[in-house]
Amino acid sequence: MTKASDIRTKTADELSDELLKLKKEQFNLRFQKATGQLDNTARVRQIRRDIARVKTVQAQKAASAAKAK
């Protein structure tokens, strides 16, 4: 699980890459759940929350960039 403070230090490109990586992992976890191979069910919740953290930081950075202009 990543912390919001760690996410805030990343650039916009790094955040986009991180979001893509998390979405791929979420997709894989959904497939594992559907086929009955998912062992760590708590990981689904962690990934969902990490995605929300990244999206929140992206929105905050976008808002501060728009405000600075």
Side-chain angles (χ1 to χ4, degrees):
M1 188 157 71
T2 56
K3 294 187 177 185
S5 59
D6 296 338
I7 295 172
R8 284 191 181 94
T9 61
K10 296 186 178 189
T11 65
D13 289 337
E14 289 173 335
L15 287 175
S16 297
D17 291 342
E18 182 73 17
L19 185 61
L20 184 64
K21 182 185 77 121
L22 288 169
K23 290 219 175 221
K24 284 182 182 179
E25 186 171 353
Q26 184 183 39
F27 179 78
N28 290 333
L29 289 174
R30 275 202 316 262
F31 259 85
Q32 288 177 11
K33 184 178 180 185
T35 59
Q37 298 174 347
L38 184 61
D39 295 328
N40 186 3
T41 56
R43 186 73 180 136
V44 175
R45 184 177 183 183
Q46 288 174 343
I47 293 298
R48 194 173 64 237
R49 290 183 176 196
D50 284 346
I51 289 171
R53 281 187 191 96
V54 170
K55 285 185 173 185
T56 300
V57 172
Q58 280 181 327
Q60 288 172 347
K61 285 186 182 242
S64 67
K67 192 174 185 180
K69 288 184 180 179

